[in-house]
Amino acid sequence: MRRKTELNAEGFTVKATLKNAVVVGPRASRVFHECPAKPSTFRKYYERGELPIAVKHENRGNSIAWKVDVETLDYHHYLPLFFDGLTETAFPYELFARQGIHDMLDRGGPKILPVIPQLIMPIRNALNTRNHQVMCTTMKVLQHLVMSADKVGEALVPYFRQILTVFNLFKNKRSTESSFSPSGHQNTHLIFSPGLLFPHSPPPTGDIYQTITSCRNPSAITIRDEWEKQRAKREMEEDIA
């Protein structure tokens, strides 16, 4: 007797109704797979020698040495450029980008707030890599960014639709992926507690609050309550002190 060959078919198609058809399951979702980033503009500038930084070798580890005073830098040019380097994971680009951002945020003061709109795209590109190391680094940079100058947190609120959406994809992976959070639950709270990620930001009101809650992010739905809880906690600690 002649054996019929099996025919692979997708579900809910005409082929799936044939007797020798074998319905193939849906393709695996690649939503959590890393999306390799292209070489950043930051890397290109460094390789051309157009960044005022160099590696500083010390006994406690490598750091960066600035060739100019950080406070004299053009923040509209250099700060977005360093943020673009957040997608890098190789040495020395990752070190330069990460440490350079922290140094500029520490000494930027009022120069930081006008540059916020230029930082959103690099932040989003870094988060969209789905790389655990890059995401954790970006979260720490976001927290430092908010505390670096007045009203920075408030300026970031209209862009939460672009920032929090990526975090929402990983909301159920905080306890199963040890590589995602090397320091345990600390990075988990950075993702899912807006009050901790943006501790000095005022609670959103009016149209801004409606914009946040419309992004269909479970973390964003309770964002105002989180802010108020964190603010009440800080006020209580200040009264006790």
Side-chain angles (χ1 to χ4, degrees):
M1 186 175 178
R2 193 172 183 179
R3 187 177 179 182
K4 295 182 178 180
T5 58
E6 294 182 348
L7 177 65
N8 293 333
E10 297 182 358
F12 305 101
T13 61
V14 176
K15 289 183 179 181
T17 61
L18 300 176
K19 292 183 179 180
N20 62 332
V22 177
V23 179
V24 181
R27 297 180 181 178
S29 173
R30 299 181 59 86
V31 66
F32 298 116
H33 288 227
E34 294 184 13
C35 301
K38 298 179 181 179
S40 64
T41 305
F42 174 83
R43 175 184 291 211
K44 296 177 181 178
Y45 270 73
Y46 174 76
E47 292 176 346
R48 292 201 300 253
E50 297 181 10
L51 295 178
I53 51 178
V55 180
K56 183 179 181 181
H57 300 283
E58 298 177 333
N59 293 333
R60 59 182 181 181
N62 296 321
S63 60
I64 68 173
W66 290 91
K67 300 178 182 178
V68 298
D69 189 355
V70 178
E71 297 178 357
T72 62
L73 292 174
D74 180 4
Y75 271 61
H76 283 276
H77 173 70
Y78 284 105
L79 192 57
L81 188 60
F82 275 79
F83 266 78
D84 184 70
L86 286 174
T87 58
E88 298 289 349
T89 57
F91 179 84
Y93 313 108
E94 186 273 337
L95 171 66
F96 283 144
R98 172 174 48 82
Q99 190 59 49
I101 289 173
H102 288 299
D103 289 349
M104 295 182 71
L105 294 180
D106 282 335
R107 305 172 64 179
K111 295 182 179 180
I112 298 174
L113 182 59
V115 192
I116 293 298
Q118 298 175 246
L119 305 181
I120 303 305
M121 188 57 68
I123 292 173
R124 184 178 179 181
N125 291 339
L127 296 176
N128 282 335
T129 62
R130 268 68 162 180
N131 181 287
H132 299 168
Q133 176 187 349
V134 172
M135 292 185 69
C136 290
T137 300
T138 305
M139 285 185 286
K140 294 175 183 178
V141 166
L142 279 171
Q143 191 173 49
H144 191 181
L145 175 64
V146 172
M147 296 185 291
S148 62
D150 295 336
K151 298 184 178 181
V152 170
E154 185 176 351
L156 284 171
V157 170
Y159 303 103
F160 276 5
R161 180 192 297 271
Q162 303 178 46
I163 297 175
L164 295 181
T165 303
V166 179
F167 293 148
N168 185 38
L169 298 175
F170 291 85
K171 67 180 185 298
N172 294 324
K173 295 177 70 65
R174 58 181 180 272
S175 60
T176 59
E177 294 288 341
S178 57
S179 61
F180 181 72
S181 181
S183 58
H185 294 287
Q186 182 177 2
N187 287 333
T188 299
H189 289 308
L190 283 175
I191 298 177
F192 298 106
S193 178
L196 291 176
L197 180 56
F198 306 108
H200 296 284
S201 305
T205 57
D207 295 338
I208 296 178
Y209 181 66
Q210 295 296 330
T211 301
I212 296 174
T213 56
S214 65
C215 70
R216 298 181 181 178
N217 189 318
S219 299
I221 293 176
T222 59
I223 193 170
R224 186 169 185 171
D225 294 336
E226 286 284 351
W227 249 300
E228 292 174 349
K229 289 179 182 179
Q230 292 298 325
R231 171 176 288 184
K233 183 178 179 180
R234 290 197 303 271
E235 291 178 352
M236 185 179 297
E237 292 175 352
E238 292 174 357
D239 292 340
I240 295 175

